[in-house]
């Protein structure tokens, strides 16, 4: 029978299985759910076994388990490593959920539950696609490996050392990941870039106490003035980051990539109106999708200090603070960027102000050439099922483990997402559109057969 008929016949059974997985509250960030995370790992391991995968192992780590499995009976054919994660975000605020987050509910063609789209639902598609090919044809057209973790939502602390220690075990010709989204319904996309990340916290201290602004005003340094002045020095009037050397390693956008961005036909005016903004703002010379997908940033995430209560308190604050994050692209090294920002801040801090800087997160950007054959095959697979060839995009967010897979395994990474941008991942009422559940299964089968 056709794969479309096969999946349609088993649709209710598959959805019931997925609901069972979604009912497990595998919240990796909360220690009280450690047992639930382990339960989800065992559940996934059993699903892999039932699907016909071999050498299924649950590897204990210093945190949550990593699951591996394989089916290696296609000599001379490519080996595809599928990555996904079974852990989920916390559910707060609970009162904003229409139905409980771990009681899956289907409404209006959408499956609502925490993890429905990020990433249990999308991971489930890969396991069921492999199972379908084995049941329909008795063998796979490629060699398949799975590497599934339970710590993606807490930055995958134990996966990089696991990859380093198991390079041969996980070696592959390509890595396949579904943890991203279509551009909009019926408009598939393949991400060819994810921005990297670095962060820091800045503190300014002046006198040893807050001071009366009448007695001392105009005669001593003000921590808030010093911080605001320092933060303002980080950008020029055209929206570019003014830190010396910040743009070293940032690639120019190729004509092909700019054309792919233009094909999105993104409506900037509509976005501005939806956000109740008079205009968008950013680095001059680039469109919104180029700025958010392919250009680096330096953003203030929080600034505080001094009196913030009701009314007036006439003080000169002795301290002020700011949190800063940068999104990175190309070959920008997060350690190098942090060092350059540190030098800039120390160079421009006002006299009389003492500066403290604490570095935070660090992750490199991921990039892949859209002309890579395996990406072209993925775009063709989307076209076969969706009737529209996938566009090649660059995403503004960061998934650090993607770059790690690419570097450690020296393999291209194909990000074939089946979510939608408005599916509330990380928010109340997370859901997965079942149209993409159905088409995702067929697209993955098509990809595996074509690749």
């Amino acid at each position: 029978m056709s794969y479309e008929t096969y999946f349609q016949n088993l649709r209710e059974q598959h959805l019931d299985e997925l609901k069972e997985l979604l009912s497990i509250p595998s919240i990796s960030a909360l220690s009280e759910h450690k047992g639930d995370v382990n339960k989800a790992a065992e559940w996934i391991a059993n699903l892999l076994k039932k699907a016909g995968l071999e050498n299924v192992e649950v590897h204990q780590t210093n945190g949550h388990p990593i699951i591996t499995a394989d089916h290696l009976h296609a000599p001379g054919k490519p080996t595809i490593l599928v990555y996904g994660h079974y852990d989920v975000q916390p559910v707060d605020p609970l009162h904003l959920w229409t139905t409980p987050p771990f009681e899956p509910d289907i409404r209006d063609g959408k499956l609502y539950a925490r993890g429905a789209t990020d990433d249990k639902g999308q991971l489930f598609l890969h396991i069921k696609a492999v199972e379908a090919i084995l049941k329909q044809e008795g063998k796979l057209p490629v060699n398949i490996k799975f590497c599934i973790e339970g710590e993606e939502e807490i930055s995958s602390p134990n996966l990089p050392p696991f990859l380093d220690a198991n390079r041969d075990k996980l070696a592959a010709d390509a890595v396949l990941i579904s943890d991203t989204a279509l551009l909009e319904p019926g408009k598939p996309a393949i991400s060819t870039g994810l921005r990297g990340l670095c962060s820091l916290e800045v503190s300014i201290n002046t006198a040893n106490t807050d001071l009366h602004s009448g007695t001392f005003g105009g005669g001593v340094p003000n921590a808030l003035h010093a911080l605001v002045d320092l933060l303002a020095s980080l950008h020029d009037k055209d929206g570019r980051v003014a830190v010396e050397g910040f743009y070293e390693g940032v690639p120019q956008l190729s004509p092909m990539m700019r054309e792919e961005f233009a094909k999105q036909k993104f409506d900037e005016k509509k976005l501005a109106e939806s956000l109740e903004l008079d205009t968008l703002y950013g680095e001059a010379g680039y469109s919104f999708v180029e700025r958010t997908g392919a250009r680096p940033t330096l953003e203030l995430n929080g600034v505080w200090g001094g009196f913030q209560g009701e009314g007036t308190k006439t003080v000169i604050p002795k301290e002020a603070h700011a949190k800063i994050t940068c999104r990175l692209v190309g070959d920008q090294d997060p350690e190098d960027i942090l060092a350059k920002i540190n030098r800039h801040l120390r160079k421009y801090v006002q006299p009389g102000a003492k500066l403290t800087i604490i570095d935070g997160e660090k992750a490199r950007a991921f990039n892949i050439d859209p002309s890579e054959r395996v990406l072209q095959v993925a775009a063709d697979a989307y076209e076969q099922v969706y009737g529209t060839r996938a566009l090649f995009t660059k995403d503004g967010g960061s998934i650090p483990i993607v770059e790690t897979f690419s570097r450690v395994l020296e393999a291209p990474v194909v990000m074939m997402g089946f979510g939608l941008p408005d599916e509330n991942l990380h928010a109340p009422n997370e859901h997965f559109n079942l149209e993409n559940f159905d088409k995702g299964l067929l697209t993955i089968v098509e990809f595996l057969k074509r690749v």
Side-chain angles (χ1 to χ4, degrees):
M1 72 180 77
S2 71
Y3 281 97
E4 191 167 2
T5 301
Y6 170 90
F7 286 124
Q8 194 59 42
N9 289 345
L10 292 173
R11 190 174 193 262
E12 292 307 311
Q13 177 185 320
H14 288 168
L15 287 174
D16 285 344
E17 287 180 284
L18 178 54
K19 286 179 181 179
E20 188 176 331
L21 173 60
L22 292 171
S23 70
I24 303 172
S26 50
I27 304 170
S28 54
L30 302 179
S31 58
E32 62 262 36
H33 286 284
K34 185 173 178 61
D36 296 311
V37 178
N38 285 322
K39 180 180 178 181
E42 292 295 339
W43 196 98
I44 291 286
N46 288 330
L47 186 70
L48 290 163
K49 292 173 185 175
K50 287 191 291 185
L53 275 299
E54 301 170 346
N55 303 310
V56 179
E57 297 180 74
V58 178
H59 306 266
Q60 297 302 322
T61 72
N62 291 328
H64 300 308
I66 295 170
I67 309 156
T68 59
D70 59 44
H71 194 281
L72 308 175
H73 300 288
K77 300 295 183 181
T79 298
I80 306 298
L81 174 67
V82 177
Y83 163 80
H85 66 92
Y86 61 88
D87 65 318
V88 300
Q89 283 275 327
V91 297
D92 309 88
L94 192 59
H95 71 278
L96 294 181
W97 287 80
T98 302
T99 51
F102 296 110
E103 295 179 18
D105 185 53
I106 294 176
R107 305 191 299 274
D108 302 320
K110 302 170 184 178
L111 175 57
Y112 286 82
R114 171 59 89 229
T117 189
D118 181 24
D119 179 48
K120 289 178 178 177
Q122 298 200 58
L123 169 63
F124 185 84
L125 298 179
H126 287 277
I127 300 172
K128 287 302 173 183
V130 169
E131 179 183 67
I133 298 174
L134 285 172
K135 285 190 174 181
Q136 289 271 89
E137 304 183 31
K139 61 180 182 179
L140 297 178
V142 295
N143 300 294
I144 283 282
K145 298 178 180 180
F146 280 84
C147 179
I148 303 167
E149 69 159 323
E151 297 183 328
E152 194 274 344
E153 301 293 4
I154 53 173
S155 301
S156 306
N158 289 292
L159 188 53
F162 182 84
L163 293 180
D164 280 328
N166 293 273
R167 290 178 191 230
D168 293 338
K169 180 184 182 71
L170 298 174
D173 296 294
V175 180
L176 179 59
I177 300 175
S178 293
D179 197 9
T180 51
L182 284 71
L183 288 171
E184 58 186 57
K187 199 171 182 179
I190 297 171
S191 177
T192 65
L194 295 164
R195 293 195 288 190
L197 178 72
C198 65
S199 66
L200 63 155
E201 184 168 326
V202 179
S203 296
I204 293 282
N205 289 85
T206 49
N208 59 2
T209 183
D210 286 355
L211 298 167
H212 190 289
S213 67
T215 306
F216 291 93
V220 297
N222 181 313
L224 277 174
H225 289 186
L227 181 65
V228 170
D229 181 68
L230 187 58
L231 297 179
S233 75
L234 290 168
H235 293 86
D236 68 17
K237 60 183 179 58
D238 293 320
R240 281 178 62 86
V241 178
V243 174
E244 184 177 352
F246 184 83
Y247 289 93
E248 292 172 7
V250 176
Q252 291 297 314
L253 278 175
S254 68
M256 176 185 177
M257 203 64 241
R258 296 203 93 153
E259 184 179 346
E260 288 294 316
F261 278 124
K263 285 179 183 176
Q264 294 184 31
K265 298 180 180 177
F266 188 85
D267 191 333
E268 296 192 7
K269 183 178 179 181
K270 182 178 179 181
L271 174 64
E273 290 174 351
S274 72
L275 298 174
E276 298 182 8
L277 293 170
D278 294 331
T279 183
L280 301 181
Y281 177 80
E283 185 184 3
Y286 297 92
S287 67
F288 174 82
V289 290
E290 289 171 343
R291 290 170 184 161
T292 57
R295 299 297 294 171
T297 66
L298 188 157
E299 299 284 357
L300 306 181
N301 307 121
V303 179
W304 69 99
F307 176 68
Q308 297 173 52
E310 184 178 355
T312 301
K313 184 180 182 184
T314 54
V315 297
I316 298 171
K318 72 182 185 72
E319 63 182 64
H321 312 272
K323 290 182 182 289
I324 300 172
T325 55
C326 298
R327 297 291 177 167
L328 310 177
V329 301
D331 293 324
Q332 285 181 302
D333 180 345
E335 293 274 9
D336 177 61
I337 293 298
L338 286 171
K340 288 171 177 173
I341 296 172
N342 270 254
R343 284 197 295 271
H344 177 98
L345 294 172
R346 296 189 187 285
K347 179 179 179 179
Y348 290 100
V349 66
Q350 284 185 3
K354 295 178 283 290
L355 181 64
T356 303
I357 303 170
I358 301 173
D359 292 346
E361 301 165 281
K362 307 175 189 72
R364 296 188 71 102
F366 164 75
N367 291 284
I368 187 170
D369 189 331
S371 66
E372 183 84 40
R373 176 185 172 272
V374 70
L375 267 66
Q376 294 295 322
V377 172
D380 292 338
Y382 274 117
E383 185 173 24
Q384 179 66 32
V385 175
Y386 281 82
T388 301
R389 199 166 193 270
L391 292 177
F392 295 105
T393 64
K394 290 187 180 293
D395 292 341
S398 304
I399 310 177
I401 201 62
V402 174
E403 187 274 336
T404 306
F405 269 111
S406 175
R407 174 171 41 81
V408 173
L409 300 184
E410 298 180 339
V413 179
V414 188
M415 285 183 281
M416 297 182 70
F418 298 100
L420 284 172
D422 63 354
E423 289 181 334
N424 287 22
L425 64 164
H426 294 201
N429 297 314
E430 178 182 349
H431 58 276
F432 191 18
N433 280 261
L434 295 184
E435 176 187 3
N436 292 319
F437 175 88
D438 298 328
K439 289 184 175 179
L441 289 164
L442 294 171
T443 305
I444 295 167
V445 168
E446 188 70 25
F447 171 77
L448 294 177
K449 291 171 75 68
R450 284 173 178 260
V451 77

